[in-house]
Amino acid sequence: MNFKAEMEQRVSKIEQILQEYLPKEEGFQENIMSAMNYSITAGGKRIRPMLMMETYQLFGGKSKVIEPFMAAMEMIHTYSLVHDDLPAMDNDEYRRGRKTTHIVYGHAMGILAGDALLNYAFETAFRAFDMEENKGIPKALQVLAGKAGIYGMIGGQVVDVEAVGKPLERERLDFIYRLKTGALIEASMMIGAILAGASEKQVEQVRSAAADIGLAFQIQDDILDVTSTTEVLGKPVFSDEKNNKTTYVTFEGLEASAKDVEGLSKHAIETVNGFHGEKEFLVELIQYLIHREK
Amino acid sequence: MNFKAEMEQRVSKIEQILQEYLPKEEGFQENIMSAMNYSITAGGKRIRPMLMMETYQLFGGKSKVIEPFMAAMEMIHTYSLVHDDLPAMDNDEYRRGRKTTHIVYGHAMGILAGDALLNYAFETAFRAFDMEENKGIPKALQVLAGKAGIYGMIGGQVVDVEAVGKPLERERLDFIYRLKTGALIEASMMIGAILAGASEKQVEQVRSAAADIGLAFQIQDDILDVTSTTEVLGKPVFSDEKNNKTTYVTFEGLEASAKDVEGLSKHAIETVNGFHGEKEFLVELIQYLIHREK
């Protein structure tokens, strides 16, 4: 099977898991379930649960205990987008060609749907306790919450919001890249490794590879903004320049940025290749994520 | 020691625990920690952690494992207030005489501070795993998330938001009262019982007593709005009437409402009196909460 077909197979498996864990739309409060489900089913590449599943299998994980964590991770990613789109934040009316949650359900429900998804992510992850005795669950939960919070994604988001319209130092840019996108990628791969019983040292190696993937992904984003076309990218190019946004390319230039993507990618793949399990698809996935053209 | 002195002693113990678990204000993202701490230290009666601690001790709990859960509960209560105050929700500029979080830190940070508090509540509760082997922790976490989410507090909040400006049926009013305030009171007392090793039957009895306390508390609120004075209450009276708000008093009238408060209070106290542990202060606390004059 080629990469695209394998990817589609995995996405469809993840959609099925998400369906299983999404709340039923019922009761007086059914509108909030509807808003949550609308947000989650808006599509997206499902990269985080995919990386989690692949890393879990890489370390020999075979049970369904990973599934509530996969669903929880996608719920956390989704809540962050729902709140990001709010008028007080990015004020976006469309995402992936669909109206954003607060446009469809109203502003108050946009806030509440985000809250509900974050809370439900933990409710969902806690279902792992009823599935099997797995000594990794407490640690996996700590990683999930830690990487999603003020020392992870929210921390990056805060610094990003505060940086709007101001010149950005290199240190602060690195901080945003490492936390805003990187933290959930790290958590996804770490949780996969932890629940499969990987050693502390292995979990740290996985974290380091995931950090490289997250950073390379971001730099590639900055590169595409100046090298791609609106047609290929599906969104306006040169948007960073228009918005006076300091990016990795601003500091390093195009050539060095492209070299850094190569270096980060190489390190991540070498790390993954150093483990003994089934890793063929994971390596292809990393290459795809980093070298994508849109 | 009289009730007031005992209460103050407990509040000061809870403040100390909160201080211990609040995040340090440091790093590029220190503004979010500052907004979280501002919100939490705005005061409040600390009823939920107090009920949790008292119920824990009632069932013989003696360790510090309850403390991260007490802090987590207050963080969840606080995040709900921060988001409630936002312009798209109640649009309140003041709470307890202090400017609300989004007024001081800006609208975007108001959203993010609420998100951060909810996420940090779970990070905090997860610290219990590092404190002792306690078989109740998974169940306590499930109760915490369950009662805070769409089948608990958020569910009640959603139905309340949607009811604004519309006539409200009795069933829907009961739903809001049971979930919006009741759910976190239930969770607080249940978690205390669970972590102290109470039986399933006892936890269910505690839940039922807590539900009565939450409902009686709400009805008393409705009663005070028509029987108190602005001076005693510290906020305008007859506000429900002015806002065309359907309350318990609308359906039952004053006399029957007062009788219901008595009945609920009696049942809750009888339940607590049926347990064998130290319960003197808890009974006084319940009486105080229900029969308060402001």
Side-chain angles (χ1 to χ4, degrees):
Chain A
M1 209 167 11
N2 66 13
F3 174 70
K4 205 175 154 226
E6 288 211 48
M7 178 104 172
E8 274 165 16
Q9 200 181 61
R10 280 163 175 87
V11 169
S12 106
K13 171 75 183 161
I14 293 169
E15 296 297 336
Q16 191 191 315
I17 292 168
L18 286 173
Q19 279 306 323
E20 207 177 306
Y21 282 99
L22 284 173
K24 282 210 187 74
E25 299 179 17
E26 60 187 10
F28 286 132
Q29 75 276 50
E30 69 176 325
N31 214 17
I32 189 83
M33 286 98 162
S34 165
M36 292 161 79
N37 295 345
Y38 176 83
S39 317
I40 285 265
T41 54
K45 296 194 274 288
R46 313 303 192 197
I47 295 308
R48 292 158 194 80
M50 201 179 295
L51 286 169
M52 193 186 289
M53 175 68 112
E54 293 306 313
T55 311
Y56 180 65
Q57 289 172 348
L58 171 62
F59 288 98
K62 286 184 175 27
S63 102
K64 279 165 129 8
V65 76
I66 195 71
E67 297 183 1
F69 278 92
M70 291 165 66
M73 179 57 73
E74 195 66 12
M75 288 173 195
I76 289 179
H77 172 57
T78 304
Y79 112 79
S80 78
L81 301 181
V82 171
H83 279 186
D84 244 26
D85 289 334
L86 286 169
M89 307 276 285
D90 287 352
N91 195 20
D92 280 319
E93 295 189 11
Y94 287 89
R95 181 178 285 278
R96 297 198 195 94
R98 278 201 344 165
K99 285 189 174 164
T100 46
T101 306
H102 68 277
I103 295 294
V104 177
Y105 290 89
H107 192 161
M109 285 295 277
I111 296 169
L112 287 167
D115 296 348
L117 280 166
L118 174 55
N119 192 92
Y120 205 67
F122 288 106
E123 277 181 86
T124 302
F126 296 159
R127 290 168 71 173
F129 286 123
D130 303 325
M131 293 170 74
E132 69 176 35
E133 292 272 342
N134 181 319
K135 280 187 188 152
I137 295 173
K139 185 71 197 157
L141 289 171
Q142 288 173 334
V143 167
L144 181 67
K147 294 289 179 187
I150 52 177
Y151 304 108
M153 182 185 68
I154 295 177
Q157 173 71 359
V158 165
V159 178
D160 195 29
V161 163
E162 293 184 332
V164 170
K166 287 180 205 156
L168 195 60
E169 321 94 275
R170 176 61 191 268
E171 249 193 307
R172 217 174 270 263
L173 182 83
D174 286 348
F175 180 91
I176 296 170
Y177 281 14
R178 191 164 56 78
L179 296 188
K180 196 182 164 184
T181 312
L184 287 195
I185 306 266
E186 287 180 37
S188 298
M189 294 185 67
M190 290 169 79
I191 290 168
I194 290 164
L195 290 177
S199 71
E200 264 183 59
K201 192 186 155 198
Q202 289 171 324
V203 172
E204 172 49 29
Q205 288 172 317
V206 162
R207 191 207 58 71
S208 163
D212 289 342
I213 296 168
L215 183 54
F217 186 89
Q218 281 276 357
I219 300 174
Q220 183 69 3
D221 223 45
D222 294 346
I223 293 174
L224 290 175
D225 189 65
V226 284
T227 59
S228 188
T229 63
T230 300
E231 237 174 0
V232 172
L233 211 55
K235 60 182 183 184
V237 288
F238 298 113
S239 72
D240 294 332
E241 202 185 312
K242 274 174 221 150
N243 297 321
N244 284 315
K245 213 171 160 185
T246 310
T247 73
Y248 200 86
V249 175
T250 321
F251 287 113
E252 295 288 328
L254 256 181
E255 206 177 326
S257 296
K259 257 197 190 145
D260 286 349
V261 168
E262 277 313 312
L264 290 161
S265 160
K266 194 165 163 246
H267 174 250
I269 287 169
E270 274 172 11
T271 304
V272 169
N273 275 327
F275 300 121
H276 290 301
E278 180 55 61
K279 61 211 161 195
E280 208 185 339
F281 178 78
L282 180 54
V283 167
E284 286 187 81
L285 177 60
I286 295 169
Q287 267 158 342
Y288 160 80
L289 286 175
I290 295 179
H291 298 288
R292 74 199 190 287
E293 290 180 354
K294 61 177 189 170
Chain B
M1 208 169 5
N2 65 15
F3 175 69
K4 204 175 154 225
E6 288 210 47
M7 179 104 170
E8 274 165 17
Q9 202 181 61
R10 280 163 175 87
V11 169
S12 107
K13 170 76 183 162
I14 293 169
E15 297 297 339
Q16 192 190 314
I17 292 169
L18 286 174
Q19 280 306 323
E20 207 176 306
Y21 283 98
L22 283 174
K24 281 210 188 75
E25 300 179 15
E26 60 186 9
F28 286 132
Q29 75 277 50
E30 69 175 327
N31 214 17
I32 188 83
M33 286 95 161
S34 165
M36 293 163 78
N37 295 345
Y38 176 83
S39 317
I40 284 265
T41 54
K45 296 194 274 288
R46 314 301 193 197
I47 295 308
R48 292 158 193 80
M50 202 180 295
L51 285 169
M52 192 186 287
M53 175 67 112
E54 292 304 315
T55 312
Y56 180 65
Q57 288 172 349
L58 171 61
F59 289 98
K62 286 184 175 28
S63 102
K64 279 166 132 356
V65 76
I66 195 70
E67 296 183 1
F69 279 92
M70 291 166 66
M73 179 57 73
E74 195 66 11
M75 288 172 196
I76 289 180
H77 172 57
T78 303
Y79 113 79
S80 78
L81 301 180
V82 171
H83 279 186
D84 245 26
D85 290 335
L86 287 169
M89 307 277 283
D90 287 353
N91 195 19
D92 281 319
E93 294 189 13
Y94 287 90
R95 179 178 286 277
R96 300 198 194 94
R98 275 195 354 159
K99 285 190 174 162
T100 46
T101 306
H102 69 276
I103 295 295
V104 177
Y105 291 89
H107 192 162
M109 284 295 277
I111 296 170
L112 288 167
D115 295 348
L117 280 165
L118 174 55
N119 192 91
Y120 205 67
F122 288 106
E123 277 181 86
T124 301
F126 295 158
R127 291 169 69 172
F129 286 122
D130 303 325
M131 293 170 74
E132 68 177 34
E133 291 272 342
N134 181 319
K135 281 187 188 153
I137 294 173
K139 184 73 197 153
L141 288 171
Q142 288 173 335
V143 167
L144 181 67
K147 295 289 179 186
I150 51 176
Y151 304 108
M153 183 185 68
I154 295 177
Q157 173 71 0
V158 165
V159 179
D160 195 29
V161 163
E162 293 185 331
V164 170
K166 287 181 204 153
L168 195 59
E169 321 96 274
R170 176 59 191 268
E171 249 192 306
R172 217 173 268 265
L173 182 82
D174 287 348
F175 181 92
I176 295 169
Y177 281 15
R178 190 164 56 77
L179 295 188
K180 196 182 163 183
T181 312
L184 286 196
I185 307 266
E186 287 179 36
S188 298
M189 294 184 68
M190 289 169 79
I191 290 169
I194 290 164
L195 290 177
S199 70
E200 265 184 57
K201 193 186 154 199
Q202 288 171 325
V203 172
E204 173 49 29
Q205 287 172 318
V206 161
R207 190 207 58 72
S208 162
D212 289 342
I213 296 167
L215 183 53
F217 186 89
Q218 281 276 355
I219 300 175
Q220 183 69 2
D221 221 46
D222 294 346
I223 293 174
L224 290 174
D225 189 64
V226 285
T227 60
S228 188
T229 63
T230 299
E231 236 175 358
V232 172
L233 211 55
K235 60 182 181 183
V237 288
F238 298 113
S239 71
D240 295 331
E241 204 185 312
K242 271 172 223 151
N243 296 323
N244 284 316
K245 211 171 162 186
T246 310
T247 73
Y248 200 85
V249 175
T250 320
F251 287 113
E252 295 288 329
L254 255 182
E255 207 177 325
S257 296
K259 256 194 191 150
D260 286 349
V261 168
E262 276 313 314
L264 290 162
S265 159
K266 198 168 160 241
H267 174 251
I269 287 168
E270 274 172 13
T271 304
V272 169
N273 274 327
F275 299 121
H276 290 300
E278 181 54 62
K279 60 210 162 195
E280 209 185 340
F281 178 78
L282 180 55
V283 168
E284 286 187 81
L285 177 61
I286 295 170
Q287 267 158 343
Y288 160 80
L289 287 176
I290 295 179
H291 298 288
R292 74 201 191 284
E293 290 181 352
K294 61 176 189 171

